[in-house]
Amino acid sequence: MTSHSILVILMMIPVSFADNCPSSNPNLQSWSTLNAGAGDIVKIDKGILLDKNLGGIELGGIVIEKDGLLVFSPDVDERIIVKTPYIHIKDGGRMDVGSEDCRYKAKLTIQLLGDRNPGYTLPDLGDKIIGVASGGLLNIFGEKKTSWSTMTETLPEMPKEGKSFSRTVTQDEAMQGFIVYQFDPTKKDKFDESDVKEKAFNFKTKSQKNFEATVDELEKYLEEVPDQYVVVAAIRKSLMADGDLKKFYSLFKVVEEFLQLKEGESKMHTLKYYDGYVMLKQKGSNVKGIEETSEYRLNGLHQLCELTAFIGDLKFHAVSYTRIKAHGQSYIDVEVTLRKYSEPILKVKTHNWNKGDRLVIAPTSGLEQHEYATVTEVIDSTQVKVDLTAKYDHLCTSKNGVLRCAEVALLSRNVLIEGLTLGADLYGGNIKCLKDFAGCFFADFELNLMGQQQPIGRYPVHFHLGGDVKGRALVDSLSIHNSYARCVAVHRTNNLIIRNTVCFDCLGHAFFLEDGDEIGNILRNNLAMLQRKPKGDNLLIPSDKKPNGFHITHPNNEFEGNVAVASEGNGFHYVFPAQPIGDSDPLNNFVEGEASRTNIKLFKGNTAHNNKEFGLRMDDYLDSLGNVKMNNGFNARSDPRDSTSELVQTELSCFTAYGNGEGNAHIRAAQLLLTNFAVGQSKTGISLLRGLRNGGYEQKVQKSVILGERESASSFVDNTDKNPRVGLEFVGPVTLEDLYFDDFHPTPVYRSGALGFVGGNSENIIQNRIENVNFGFDDSVAGNRMLEPDTDNDKQGNLVESFVGDGSVADSNSASTILRGVGFQTTKDCFIRTNWVKYAVCNEKYAMMSLNKPATIQRVDYEGNVLTLDTEGDMSPKNTPFNAVVDNWQYHYLFRFDNDDFKSAVSLRTYGSNKGSNAIVGCCVPKGADLRIQYDKNNVFGTVASYGDLTNTNSGNKYYHDVTEGIVFLNVAGREENVDDETFCRDEYKKNGICRNIMIKVKNGVTGINDCDVQKYTPPSPPTAKRQLVSETQKTSKSNEKRLLYLLKKLVDLESKKSGQSAETLKRKRRSTTNPNRVFPAFSGNVPDVYAACSI
């Protein structure tokens, strides 16, 4: 948002001032002129300057309307605290806390008060709210701060020698009340329990006499503490009884004298039943003691208070946790650590934080390993010292381009809006901007304890039915934490900018596009951390079962530079409804299924790590009730409203993901390009699924680094989890090029491999290509390039899974096909690699075929050997696919129909048969039948005189019919020429995934079942049988041969790329296939800089 556009909005109110500071407006009147008292509903219809602290009074509400203006003064020495159930801004009303050009730098807290059923409800807004209705304008611009940054150096867990003392008192011990410890600060070694003289003083007695005696004991204990010793005390459970009528003056006096506080100054005076409290004082020091109570002491369900002090070479930390229910769970914790380990230097890319700022550091190795820190010293713009006793490692490491660096977020701000809650009611405050608001501009402030778990629609920041908000709204650099429902919700609102905003520890989805009717929104450089599932079944919407960092219900939105970490669901979840859900009026008038045909506008430079489910998931849709269902059928089109328009490519780029529980990227799409992905340390690196069952489209992954789950063979192995680990799994058709894999170490517990096919695949896929793939491990010794298939989960698509490679996977000196190593598909020019289990490497070319009727399918070689295709299990007999060897006359195929009498035509479908590739297939037909064999009426097969004539290279699309034996053989030739080595049967395959469909019809009405002799005809013998490779200059080059030349040329081009690597470094050594089970050596060069995630 530019200052110019904000000034335009400011002109809506008839005020003017020279320095763009709202508080400089000379027409403002002092708050005192309102004479507002406790419980009053303050109505503002003129210019008012809030220029004083309100003294803790609780207002009944604030209404700003009819050109009313409320401006907060930055010239108040102490923090302004406004306590009110609501602020309602409407009908030309406006509230200013600073401006874009004049940031509010004083301290301000707005507390939204109330519990459920408050007795009022603002129309269309609710309660406990700052509500901006039609015509209202709200500007909040706090002090500009770096909202979050990324570490540049690992912050290690504090070593064991850093801890001098640690004591936690729980319900397991019969200790409660005021528990006191003393420490000699000159002691550098461990403190024994005998050194600290732990003692508990219980003041919950009903007798005043006994109470006074206990006070005397405490006073004597404190008097006997040696000078310069540090005394730490904390309350466990409660200081007093419920409804305690005793006089506590003597206790308060003892504590105040010891802490060197004035009479009545101690926070102990404010304690009530089950309030927590901690204190610390170095005896004999002229410095006053310190004490803390819970920031929110409302006799709620639970309270937490803590303090920290650095004295000499030691750090002292004390915690008091109390509960009014299940009070046995109350505890205290006292810890002493060496300062050099508990005041570490935190190094980040950049910051402008100040001493005292409160931070949270993201986990890099687990879901709940975030840690809080407080800035104790600013060193420079990239370094600060922090108060932190690190319990976990927070990494900043890079391996082969996969960067793992913890994020650091700022939580505390000078402007705070919070919704005070009672106990576990989960009923915080909310900010809502309704349709036709004049402006909602939010920048650089803190929101705490906001959002409401029921009713729905109460979120920390909520744009509700906003329509097109371009130029009217901005969300920038907010610090939102401890939210009871989401962080930023966008509901039927377009063109909103959300940037640099932190969402930490919320229930449900964090950044939330609600109905699928939100487009044009820009989310850039935001951080979502620790999204939790609400307890029980009381969810706002069904998808909150797995809360996402970014919940995206329409593709036409931009996501760039965002980070999602430690969610109990997915980091980024694209999940589209067929039609916008909910009962609100349509905003964009989408047609059925339009979202699943709309291209993703922008997904670039995002990061997801340590989420429980997936880093990026795009495989689901929302039903009309908001339930998440699998298989979105995403297929972006040139015209999303027209399901028959041309497919367009969806590009996702520069994505980093690691440590996500189920997988780093799980994507279902049609035409797809993934570029510069850097993923690692997950069960699955990248999983690619088909967006459409039919269609000749391509999914492509390039210039990416994919690492396995375990960094070394000695890394921890979860013996209870036997799910396979795979780097990149796919169905196809895919092209994989310029990739690097590492860390796929074998284990006895689960299967592991760099490349694999998706199990349980029922779809027939061809034309997978893999080029220039490198592996950082020795195959068969330190890992597997191919993942062993799960044959128990096989479906018909798995039996024909294959890819053509340039030799980089098979460590070969020539192009080859890798496919299932079943005898029906392999030849003498294949070998099965033992550690790949079930996969063969073949120096053959293949095309896939299938029939429309159940048949016995057999392969015959030149020696008369017969192999029969096994179609048992889950294979459908009506569409039994198989890979047929092409351009090799040593083999032909015969179909025998045991239950079909040819009353209807037989259909032979071919896939991947390109011009210049030929295969001989035969079929048993009724004896005496007159046949017509065709692709269509304009493409009819001709006849030849003998079986031998079919092996002539010019006899493509011809057939020989032995009428007496009832057998016909066809020479099936490819149709489309691979002019650019990229096109495959492009006309028909684009429409339905089939290259050619051959019909065999009986014309003369002869029917019957004929069990013809499979060995009546045999292919010709070598050496003349198999075609020889021809030179590149020959115009008759065949498609796969041309592809080989193309791939080899590409390898040469790769060696000369200017990527900072020498040609010799990038050159892969090719080896022959004479020893199929030899070690395939690791790639010894450096990973090119152009691989992996790119900067934005």
Side-chain angles (χ1 to χ4, degrees):
M1 185 57 159
T2 64
S3 58
H4 173 73
S5 57
I6 290 179
L7 288 174
V8 171
I9 294 171
L10 294 179
M11 293 299 291
M12 297 173 61
I13 303 296
V15 294
S16 60
F17 36 93
D19 58 2
N20 289 329
C21 291
S23 60
S24 299
N25 182 349
N27 298 318
L28 297 175
Q29 300 180 27
S30 173
W31 177 271
S32 300
T33 63
L34 298 174
N35 296 315
D40 289 348
I41 297 177
V42 181
K43 295 189 176 181
I44 298 174
D45 57 6
K46 58 185 177 181
I48 293 295
L49 180 68
L50 206 166
D51 53 359
K52 58 180 290 188
N53 194 310
L54 301 185
I57 65 170
E58 296 184 4
L59 301 173
I62 299 174
V63 180
I64 311 171
E65 59 184 346
K66 299 176 181 177
D67 296 335
L69 171 63
L70 176 61
V71 177
F72 287 77
S73 172
D75 300 321
V76 180
D77 291 337
E78 56 184 339
R79 177 180 286 272
I80 295 177
I81 301 177
V82 178
K83 298 183 177 184
T84 179
Y86 63 85
I87 300 175
H88 193 185
I89 309 168
K90 61 178 183 175
D91 301 332
R94 171 175 166 176
M95 187 173 98
D96 286 339
V97 180
S99 68
E100 186 178 40
D101 295 330
C102 183
R103 295 303 183 107
Y104 189 87
K105 295 185 178 180
K107 295 185 181 299
L108 166 66
T109 296
I110 298 175
Q111 292 182 340
L112 298 171
L113 308 176
D115 53 12
R116 293 184 187 275
N117 306 314
Y120 73 92
T121 299
L122 300 183
D124 300 319
L125 290 168
D127 59 275
K128 206 169 183 180
I129 191 170
I130 299 178
V132 186
S134 177
L137 174 61
L138 175 61
N139 291 316
I140 305 179
F141 288 90
E143 185 177 3
K144 197 170 185 64
K145 288 284 191 76
T146 303
S147 60
W148 66 276
S149 191
T150 304
M151 288 171 45
T152 58
E153 187 175 294
T154 292
L155 182 68
E157 173 188 357
M158 186 188 74
K160 292 181 180 179
E161 59 266 26
K163 185 175 292 187
S164 296
F165 178 81
S166 181
R167 175 82 165 105
T168 301
V169 180
T170 67
Q171 63 181 337
D172 294 332
E173 301 177 61
M175 292 182 67
Q176 61 174 295
F178 194 65
I179 305 176
V180 189
Y181 302 84
Q182 55 182 280
F183 301 92
D184 179 359
T186 63
K187 185 178 177 66
K188 299 295 179 67
D189 299 324
K190 303 285 184 182
F191 290 97
D192 296 326
E193 290 192 17
S194 59
D195 296 331
V196 301
K197 297 183 180 179
E198 176 188 66
K199 187 171 180 60
F201 299 89
N202 191 342
F203 296 101
K204 290 176 68 175
T205 176
K206 293 182 179 180
S207 165
Q208 185 73 40
K209 180 179 179 181
N210 292 339
F211 171 83
E212 297 296 342
T214 306
V215 171
D216 292 341
E217 287 183 42
L218 173 63
E219 184 176 25
K220 180 180 179 183
Y221 178 96
L222 296 175
E223 287 176 352
E224 293 176 351
V225 173
D227 276 355
Q228 303 306 311
Y229 273 44
V230 176
V231 173
V232 179
I235 290 175
R236 179 177 176 267
K237 295 184 72 170
S238 182
L239 183 69
M240 58 199 65
D242 189 13
D244 205 324
L245 299 178
K246 296 192 303 294
K247 295 179 181 179
F248 281 75
Y249 172 77
S250 59
L251 173 61
F252 299 156
K253 182 180 179 182
V254 169
V255 170
E256 285 171 337
E257 288 179 352
F258 182 75
L259 297 178
Q260 295 179 251
L261 302 177
K262 296 177 182 178
E263 184 178 344
E265 187 178 356
S266 172
K267 294 181 180 180
M268 255 196 180
H269 288 277
T270 67
L271 296 183
K272 297 179 181 180
Y273 181 52
Y274 275 102
D275 284 344
Y277 173 88
V278 288
M279 58 161 262
L280 180 145
K281 176 70 170 76
Q282 184 175 21
K283 188 175 180 180
S285 167
N286 293 326
V287 179
K288 288 183 178 181
I290 56 177
E291 53 182 357
E292 291 293 344
T293 60
S294 174
E295 192 172 358
Y296 307 102
R297 292 185 296 112
L298 300 175
N299 289 331
L301 175 65
H302 57 89
Q303 302 175 20
L304 179 72
C305 55
E306 59 184 323
L307 64 74
T308 298
F310 291 97
I311 298 176
D313 294 327
L314 299 177
K315 170 189 167 183
F316 297 86
H317 181 73
V319 174
S320 170
Y321 175 77
T322 58
R323 295 175 61 94
I324 196 169
K325 294 181 180 180
H327 48 259
Q329 297 178 25
S330 301
Y331 67 85
I332 69 166
D333 187 77
V334 177
E335 184 178 72
V336 182
T337 54
L338 297 181
R339 182 169 189 164
K340 66 179 180 179
Y341 294 118
S342 50
E343 193 183 24
I345 294 176
L346 182 63
K347 298 182 179 182
V348 296
K349 286 183 177 179
T350 185
H351 77 90
N352 64 345
W353 302 323
N354 297 324
K355 182 178 179 179
D357 282 346
R358 184 78 164 156
L359 311 174
V360 62
I361 305 174
T364 52
S365 301
L367 197 64
E368 292 277 0
Q369 295 185 5
H370 61 277
E371 297 194 84
Y372 300 97
T374 301
V375 177
T376 59
E377 179 184 341
V378 177
I379 300 174
D380 56 31
S381 62
T382 62
Q383 300 181 90
V384 291
K385 282 188 177 181
V386 292
D387 169 11
L388 170 65
T389 302
K391 296 180 180 178
Y392 310 102
D393 289 331
H394 298 275
L395 302 176
C396 187
T397 62
S398 179
K399 182 174 183 180
N400 297 317
V402 180
L403 185 65
R404 299 172 59 202
C405 289
E407 296 76 24
V408 183
L410 175 65
L411 296 182
S412 58
R413 298 287 191 143
N414 67 308
V415 175
L416 167 64
I417 298 174
E418 60 184 356
L420 298 190
T421 59
L422 288 171
D425 199 24
L426 307 182
Y427 202 73
N430 60 117
I431 299 176
K432 183 181 288 188
C433 299
L434 293 179
K435 183 180 181 181
D436 297 326
F437 63 84
C440 285
F441 297 98
F442 307 145
D444 290 278
F445 63 93
E446 177 185 357
L447 296 108
N448 183 36
L449 299 174
M450 301 287 279
Q452 298 171 6
Q453 277 293 312
Q454 302 298 339
I456 197 169
R458 312 287 182 85
Y459 312 124
V461 176
H462 184 190
F463 288 85
H464 182 67
L465 308 181
D468 187 352
V469 300
K470 189 173 184 178
R472 293 191 295 130
L474 173 69
V475 177
D476 185 10
S477 302
L478 303 187
S479 296
I480 308 172
H481 55 99
N482 301 317
S483 168
Y484 299 128
R486 320 210 186 290
C487 281
V488 181
V490 183
H491 184 200
R492 305 220 174 194
T493 297
N494 294 346
N495 299 313
L496 175 64
I497 297 175
I498 306 170
R499 66 191 184 204
N500 308 317
T501 290
V502 172
C503 173
F504 170 67
D505 197 1
C506 75
L507 297 179
H509 309 307
F511 295 93
F512 177 60
L513 304 185
E514 189 161 346
D515 281 355
D517 204 5
E518 300 84 19
I519 63 173
N521 301 291
I522 299 173
L523 285 86
R524 182 170 291 126
N525 200 44
N526 301 290
L527 172 62
M529 187 193 316
L530 196 61
Q531 282 63 61
R532 305 178 190 268
K533 174 190 172 184
K535 293 183 179 180
D537 297 323
N538 192 25
L539 304 172
L540 290 178
I541 58 175
S543 60
D544 279 328
K545 293 177 183 177
K546 294 182 179 180
N548 305 313
F550 295 84
H551 185 80
I552 309 164
T553 54
H554 198 280
N556 189 10
N557 294 282
E558 297 183 27
F559 290 83
E560 184 175 18
N562 303 286
V563 176
V565 52
S567 167
E568 291 186 352
N570 304 288
F572 298 85
H573 194 186
Y574 282 93
V575 53
F576 314 134
Q579 284 276 46
I581 57 179
D583 55 4
S584 302
D585 293 333
L587 175 60
N588 298 297
N589 294 310
F590 295 123
V591 301
E592 183 84 10
E594 183 173 343
S596 65
R597 297 188 296 268
T598 300
N599 207 354
I600 290 177
K601 190 172 183 180
L602 181 67
F603 186 87
K604 181 179 181 181
N606 300 294
T607 298
H609 65 92
N610 299 104
N611 298 285
K612 186 175 182 180
E613 297 292 327
F614 294 90
L616 166 63
R617 183 174 174 88
M618 191 171 74
D619 184 23
D620 305 310
Y621 69 94
L622 296 172
D623 67 13
S624 59
L625 299 177
N627 296 294
V628 177
K629 305 289 186 179
M630 287 187 64
N631 196 343
N632 59 11
F634 182 69
N635 59 113
R637 304 276 178 173
S638 58
D639 180 2
R641 301 176 72 87
D642 180 2
S643 61
T644 65
S645 62
E646 186 177 359
L647 289 170
V648 295
Q649 186 180 72
T650 295
E651 181 176 357
L652 311 176
S653 64
C654 304
F655 180 58
T656 297
Y658 61 89
N660 297 292
E662 296 302 318
N664 286 318
H666 177 96
I667 302 168
R668 184 185 297 275
Q671 201 80 5
L672 178 68
L673 172 63
L674 306 184
T675 183
N676 296 104
F677 270 46
V679 300
Q681 293 195 313
S682 184
K683 294 177 183 177
T684 303
I686 301 173
S687 181
L688 297 180
L689 303 175
R690 288 170 59 85
L692 293 174
R693 290 187 62 86
N694 296 320
Y697 53 83
E698 177 190 48
Q699 297 173 331
K700 190 172 185 178
V701 185
Q702 64 181 18
K703 298 179 181 177
S704 296
V705 173
I706 302 170
L707 304 182
E709 184 182 41
R710 299 164 60 240
E711 291 188 78
S712 69
S714 61
S715 298
F716 170 77
V717 177
D718 184 356
N719 291 322
T720 65
D721 186 355
K722 297 184 179 181
N723 291 309
R725 272 53 168 178
V726 59
L728 197 160
E729 64 174 1
F730 56 90
V731 175
V734 300
T735 294
L736 312 178
E737 61 181 16
D738 301 335
L739 304 180
Y740 179 84
F741 294 88
D742 202 356
D743 296 342
F744 292 92
H745 305 283
T747 79
V749 180
Y750 50 72
R751 296 173 291 124
S752 178
L755 290 163
F757 294 92
V758 173
N761 171 37
S762 60
E763 301 182 33
N764 309 325
I765 308 299
I766 58 169
Q767 298 159 2
N768 296 310
R769 292 190 305 164
I770 299 182
E771 307 169 14
N772 192 41
V773 175
N774 294 287
F775 303 88
F777 56 89
D778 292 339
D779 181 88
S780 82
V781 175
N784 299 310
R785 297 185 179 187
M786 289 295 301
L787 175 70
E788 173 190 346
D790 178 11
T791 54
D792 293 336
N793 194 31
D794 274 349
K795 292 188 178 180
Q796 65 180 31
N798 294 111
L799 294 188
V800 290
E801 59 195 17
S802 66
F803 64 82
V804 175
D806 63 348
S808 56
V809 177
D811 200 48
S812 162
N813 58 3
S814 64
S816 57
T817 301
I818 295 178
L819 75 174
R820 283 291 182 93
V822 295
F824 188 82
Q825 296 186 145
T826 58
T827 71
K828 294 179 179 179
D829 287 312
C830 300
F831 68 86
I832 296 177
R833 187 160 173 80
T834 302
N835 63 301
W836 292 2
V837 187
K838 305 291 185 181
Y839 286 115
V841 180
C842 297
N843 184 25
E844 298 281 7
K845 292 181 289 183
Y846 291 85
M848 193 173 72
M849 300 181 184
S850 68
L851 295 165
N852 69 330
K853 298 183 179 184
T856 299
I857 302 174
Q858 296 174 309
R859 190 186 79 183
V860 183
D861 66 18
Y862 68 95
E863 294 178 335
N865 299 311
V866 179
L867 292 175
T868 301
L869 177 63
D870 181 5
T871 60
E872 295 180 358
D874 292 332
M875 310 307 114
S876 169
K878 292 185 179 180
N879 186 23
T880 303
F882 64 96
N883 287 314
V885 178
V886 300
D887 287 355
N888 189 341
W889 305 134
Q890 298 177 42
Y891 304 93
H892 74 218
Y893 298 86
L894 185 70
F895 315 137
R896 300 167 61 196
F897 300 97
D898 301 325
N899 298 300
D900 187 80
D901 59 5
F902 270 81
K903 287 182 180 179
S904 60
V906 168
S907 173
L908 171 64
R909 297 184 177 96
T910 65
Y911 310 75
S913 52
N914 300 281
K915 186 172 182 180
S917 64
N918 299 75
I920 305 296
V921 298
C923 177
C924 295
V925 297
K927 294 179 180 180
D930 186 11
L931 302 178
R932 180 181 177 90
I933 303 176
Q934 64 181 45
Y935 293 117
D936 53 53
K937 64 181 180 179
N938 298 318
N939 293 277
V940 180
F941 275 57
T943 63
V944 295
S946 68
Y947 174 87
D949 291 341
L950 289 179
T951 60
N952 187 294
T953 56
N954 297 318
S955 64
N957 298 334
K958 301 289 180 66
Y959 72 93
Y960 165 68
H961 183 191
D962 185 335
V963 179
T964 303
E965 293 292 333
I967 187 168
V968 62
F969 285 98
L970 297 76
N971 185 333
V972 180
R975 181 176 183 181
E976 296 292 345
E977 184 170 5
N978 290 20
V979 182
D980 57 1
D981 296 292
E982 297 286 344
T983 305
F984 299 94
C985 307
R986 54 191 167 201
D987 293 336
E988 292 184 54
Y989 191 73
K990 273 191 175 181
K991 297 176 183 177
N992 54 30
I994 300 173
C995 287
R996 309 204 77 173
N997 191 11
I998 303 170
M999 305 294 293
I1000 305 175
K1001 302 179 180 179
V1002 175
K1003 295 193 299 181
N1004 60 355
V1006 176
T1007 61
I1009 297 174
N1010 177 27
D1011 186 15
C1012 62
D1013 183 1
V1014 68
Q1015 293 180 314
K1016 176 70 175 182
Y1017 295 90
T1018 57
S1021 301
T1024 60
K1026 189 165 184 176
R1027 297 185 184 183
Q1028 302 299 313
L1029 292 179
V1030 295
S1031 70
E1032 185 178 16
T1033 58
Q1034 289 181 274
K1035 295 182 179 180
T1036 57
S1037 299
K1038 300 303 180 282
S1039 60
N1040 276 9
E1041 296 161 9
K1042 289 177 64 181
R1043 186 183 306 168
L1044 172 60
L1045 295 171
Y1046 164 78
L1047 296 177
L1048 293 176
K1049 181 178 182 298
K1050 193 165 185 177
L1051 285 173
V1052 175
D1053 292 341
L1054 180 64
E1055 293 179 1
S1056 61
K1057 283 183 178 179
K1058 296 180 180 180
S1059 59
Q1061 310 294 329
S1062 67
E1064 186 63 29
T1065 301
L1066 291 178
K1067 187 177 181 181
R1068 178 186 286 105
K1069 294 181 179 179
R1070 301 293 180 206
R1071 290 168 171 79
S1072 67
T1073 59
T1074 54
N1075 181 8
N1077 288 315
R1078 72 183 185 283
V1079 173
F1080 289 176
F1083 174 66
S1084 58
N1086 296 322
V1087 179
D1089 294 336
V1090 295
Y1091 287 19
C1094 43
S1095 59
I1096 58 172

